[in-house]
Amino acid sequence: MNLPAEDATPVLHRLRRAEGQLRAVIRSIDEGSQCDDVVVQLAAVSRALDRAGFAVVASGLRQCLIASQGGDADATASQQRLEKLFLSLA
């Protein structure tokens, strides 16, 4: 699946934000920060990753729907594969 540029840009932004948040979590643990601060940061990383994953799957589903309207025989297989991916994020 190729992610169109208009979909890839926000996904990459979320992933870079999650990367920064994860670095902050690691730094907090290294510095001996309070447990609740670390958990809050971990939750933020998790949400950012989930949203990036959902955006990727949504883009793939949109591409499948467009392909199925054009009569693409592989559209059903692609949709099933994307549904499986979507469920793996849940």
Side-chain angles (χ1 to χ4, degrees):
M1 169 176 59
N2 291 326
L3 209 57
E6 64 271 7
D7 293 338
T9 299
V11 167
L12 289 172
H13 179 72
R14 286 183 193 278
L15 291 173
R16 287 187 181 108
R17 186 179 328 152
E19 180 181 33
Q21 290 169 325
L22 185 55
R23 272 193 244 109
V25 169
I26 293 168
R27 188 173 46 251
S28 292
I29 292 172
D30 283 341
E31 294 171 356
S33 296
Q34 294 293 319
C35 180
D36 54 344
D37 294 334
V38 172
V39 170
V40 167
Q41 281 295 326
L42 280 173
V45 172
S46 179
R47 280 192 305 274
L49 291 174
D50 286 345
R51 289 181 183 201
F54 288 134
V56 168
V57 172
S59 176
L61 286 172
R62 187 171 47 254
Q63 289 177 20
C64 274
L65 289 173
I66 291 169
S68 69
Q69 290 173 351
D72 187 352
D74 264 353
T76 302
S78 295
Q79 185 172 350
Q80 289 172 345
R81 191 172 66 247
L82 286 166
E83 286 173 6
K84 184 177 178 180
L85 288 172
F86 184 78
L87 291 173
S88 73
L89 291 171

